[in-house]
Amino acid sequence: MLLSVILLFFQLWGNVEVSSSQIECLTLPDVPHANISEETKRIDYHGGHVIHFTCEPGYNTSGPTIRYVCTSEGWLAVQQESCSPEKCKVAGVPDGVRLNTHVLDNQLRQGQNLRFECINPKDTLRGKAVVECLAGGQWSDPFPTCGAPLGCGTSPSLTDGDTTETLRFHHRHEERVHYRCQNYYTMEGEPYKTCFNGEWIGQIRCLKPCTVDEEAMRSHNIDFRYGSERKIYVRHNDRITFKCTERRQPVGTLGMRFQCVDGEVHLPTCQ
């Protein structure tokens, strides 16, 4: 124990490396989220050898470098330091924006959120109202700004659909543009998109109809139960009833009535 104290004293106060072949540290200390510094890495370690650890990206220490010295008692920490996740600094909040979150020491830990609002109730928040502290002290999004609501450019296109009005290159905040789907297509969602502070919001889909023709039915030995058409279009969610052709019997137990689901319909088989 006396030798350990002497070695540590020289290392801390005299900055002198003391080696002793009678003392050997066979395994490195386990420092979570840290790696040994290349400058202090050796093939083997004897009494008085000092090693330094540096934190992995996204982690840091609150004090001096993490150091260990090899003693007769094994590795002894020179400072009781550890690597902790970097915190996100709360700085540079734009003018006109108010924090709606209590923040201690102007920093948050990973996983915590910042909430923002506009000081002037007539202004609109531009950007995310909530940002999250990520690993490495990074924010999930830039801090938002506040100002008069922004307009939008040309309304977005709709697959298998179109707008019901003339194309325009500018729209005001909260202005709506109405859409319609192509013939036989079924609209899912509200029939419009709204300009909101520079972004178009609103979810619309045009769901495909199903097509069943004579060739497809012939390959399955089936026909339409009702009507004499050789080809039909069926809207999404509508059902079709089939029958086997003469002297044929259905295969399986699923029946002969099937639903159209976004352009796909299961055809029964007869033999």
Side-chain angles (χ1 to χ4, degrees):
M1 182 63 183
L2 179 59
L3 177 59
S4 300
V5 174
I6 293 173
L7 294 175
L8 180 59
F9 175 83
F10 278 117
Q11 180 61 37
L12 290 175
W13 303 104
N15 198 27
V16 176
E17 181 174 300
V18 180
S19 299
S20 173
S21 59
Q22 286 77 26
I23 300 173
E24 188 173 9
C25 296
L26 299 178
T27 58
L28 292 173
D30 181 21
V31 183
H33 306 296
N35 299 305
I36 186 172
S37 173
E38 291 292 333
E39 291 78 8
T40 60
K41 185 180 292 187
R42 296 171 179 267
I43 297 177
D44 49 26
Y45 301 90
H46 297 281
H49 284 161
V50 177
I51 54 177
H52 294 238
F53 284 85
T54 56
C55 295
E56 296 175 349
Y59 293 82
N60 58 19
T61 62
S62 58
T65 305
I66 300 174
R67 292 187 293 166
Y68 283 79
V69 60
C70 179
T71 73
S72 60
E73 305 295 328
W75 289 107
L76 182 65
V78 178
Q79 292 96 10
Q80 294 296 328
E81 292 292 335
S82 60
C83 293
S84 303
E86 290 185 25
K87 294 183 178 181
C88 296
K89 302 295 188 297
V90 182
V93 177
D95 294 338
V97 179
R98 176 168 50 216
L99 281 176
N100 198 14
T101 305
H102 175 69
V103 180
L104 184 64
D105 297 330
N106 290 326
Q107 55 187 5
L108 293 181
R109 298 189 306 274
Q110 181 180 344
Q112 292 183 312
N113 293 331
L114 268 185
R115 298 180 182 275
F116 301 89
E117 62 184 13
C118 292
I119 296 175
N120 186 343
K122 295 182 179 180
D123 286 342
T124 300
L125 202 67
R126 300 174 182 173
K128 299 289 186 180
V130 179
V131 298
E132 181 183 359
C133 177
L134 305 179
Q138 302 296 315
W139 293 106
S140 60
D141 297 276
F143 289 177
T145 60
C146 286
L150 299 174
C152 298
T154 304
S155 55
S157 60
L158 175 63
T159 302
D160 299 317
D162 203 352
T163 63
T164 62
E165 55 195 69
T166 304
L167 181 67
R168 291 162 52 195
F169 296 101
H170 181 75
H171 296 265
R172 298 186 305 276
H173 171 66
E174 294 187 340
E175 188 174 3
R176 288 179 175 181
V177 173
H178 286 256
Y179 290 81
R180 63 185 170 196
C181 293
Q182 294 177 8
N183 196 22
Y184 290 107
Y185 284 73
T186 301
M187 180 172 290
E188 181 181 72
E190 299 289 346
Y192 52 80
K193 288 181 179 288
T194 304
C195 172
F196 188 83
N197 194 29
E199 295 184 8
W200 288 102
I201 60 174
Q203 299 296 323
I204 310 175
R205 288 178 63 200
C206 291
L207 300 174
K208 301 179 181 64
C210 295
T211 305
V212 181
D213 58 24
E214 188 175 12
E215 181 180 351
M217 291 191 294
R218 187 185 302 113
S219 66
H220 287 261
N221 298 316
I222 59 175
D223 204 346
F224 296 123
R225 177 171 292 276
Y226 307 106
S228 58
E229 296 90 345
R230 297 294 86 195
K231 180 177 181 180
I232 65 170
Y233 296 93
V234 182
R235 293 180 183 273
H236 168 76
N237 270 345
D238 284 354
R239 296 179 181 273
I240 317 173
T241 304
F242 300 93
K243 66 179 180 180
C244 292
T245 54
E246 189 175 357
R247 297 192 182 94
R248 302 281 183 173
Q249 295 296 322
V251 176
T253 59
L254 295 178
M256 301 295 286
R257 182 174 169 83
F258 293 90
Q259 185 177 30
C260 172
V261 180
D262 193 18
E264 295 185 4
V265 62
H266 177 77
L267 296 180
T269 300
C270 297
Q271 64 180 10

